[in-house]
């Protein structure tokens, strides 16, 4: 999509890498060890079944990250997570993430600017977690993923389209203290 000075294409070849960006500052500070942390509002990012052990009845968390701002000033990630405990054993949760790659100049193979666009990606996830025993829980999540990196540009005579996908996961969590 972007041409360089030596007439080679510099296309975006990764698939939704924003899904790997940690929303939780605490887990990030522990070296991305969120799967081993105590349950919190961001548990759906790591393991939805952790919600069954959360102490509060409901919660919400919002994070905003100016991603790689030393390199590009307008890339950002916004993450929202919320959960609701139903009874003592069931928890429903929603999480979503929006990733904007900032303003991108689209150039021809000769380097001529032919337009500007703002590529973005997002996902939404619904999760359910249930406490099965005093120490064990299971969870399930369903995600919808959307990626629009090219804004319908035509490349070599072919029009590009946003990527859309769904994903599901089943998880379990054992919670016990070491003696």
């Amino acid at each position: 999509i972007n041409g360089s000075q030596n007439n080679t294409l510099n296309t975006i070849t990764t698939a939704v890498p924003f899904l790997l960006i940690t929303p939780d500052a605490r887990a990030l500070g522990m070296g991305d060890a969120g799967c081993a942390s105590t349950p919190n509002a961001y548990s759906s990012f790591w393991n939805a079944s952790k919600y069954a052990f959360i102490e509060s009845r409901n919660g919400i968390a919002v994070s905003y990250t100016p991603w790689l701002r030393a390199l590009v000033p307008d890339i950002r990630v916004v993450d929202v997570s919320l959960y609701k405990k139903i009874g003592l054993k069931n928890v429903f949760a929603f999480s979503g993430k929006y990733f904007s790659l900032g303003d991108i100049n689209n150039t021809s193979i000769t380097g001529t600017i032919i337009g500007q666009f703002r590529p973005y990606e997002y996902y939404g996830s619904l999760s359910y977690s249930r406490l099965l025993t005093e120490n064990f829980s299971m969870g399930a999540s369903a995600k919808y993923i959307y990626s629009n990196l090219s804004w319908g540009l035509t490349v070599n005579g072919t029009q590009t389209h946003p990527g859309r996908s769904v994903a599901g996961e089943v998880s379990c969590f054992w919670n016990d203290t070491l003696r």
Side-chain angles (χ1 to χ4, degrees):
I1 295 173
N2 290 328
S4 65
Q5 300 293 38
N6 61 3
N7 292 335
T8 60
L9 291 178
N10 185 16
T11 57
I12 300 170
T13 59
T14 57
V16 291
F18 81 104
L19 293 174
L20 301 174
I21 299 172
T22 306
D24 181 3
R26 178 174 177 245
L28 184 62
M30 297 185 327
D32 272 351
C35 59
S37 66
T38 56
N40 63 26
Y42 291 117
S43 289
S44 64
F45 181 82
W46 302 103
N47 181 341
S49 57
K50 289 173 60 173
Y51 280 122
F53 292 97
I54 205 156
E55 293 180 12
S56 58
R57 306 245 352 118
N58 51 53
I60 186 169
V62 178
S63 68
Y64 171 83
T65 305
W67 189 251
L68 302 174
R69 71 172 183 231
L71 298 174
V72 182
D74 59 350
I75 296 177
R76 64 186 152 277
V77 182
V78 179
D79 193 282
V80 176
S81 297
L82 53 104
Y83 67 91
K84 173 74 175 159
K85 200 169 197 175
I86 310 294
L88 298 174
K89 296 184 176 189
N90 303 295
V91 179
F92 290 93
F94 167 81
S95 63
K97 183 180 291 194
Y98 175 81
F99 180 54
S100 171
L101 282 93
D103 292 325
I104 304 288
N105 288 327
N106 183 35
T107 61
S108 69
I109 196 125
T110 61
T112 305
I113 295 176
I114 57 175
Q116 187 179 58
F117 63 101
R118 183 178 290 249
Y120 66 94
E121 301 175 307
Y122 66 83
Y123 85 86
S125 174
L126 294 173
S127 302
Y128 170 72
S129 178
R130 179 165 175 86
L131 187 64
L132 298 175
T133 70
E134 182 180 313
N135 299 85
F136 183 72
S137 66
M138 289 193 73
S141 297
K143 288 183 181 171
Y144 174 76
I145 305 164
Y146 179 89
S147 177
N148 189 352
L149 300 179
S150 64
W151 285 83
L153 296 172
T154 300
V155 179
N156 295 329
T158 304
Q159 186 173 4
T160 61
H161 300 280
R164 295 175 181 91
S165 186
V166 293
E169 57 192 51
V170 176
S171 60
C172 60
F173 187 69
W174 179 266
N175 187 31
D176 201 359
T177 56
L178 296 175
R179 298 172 221 259

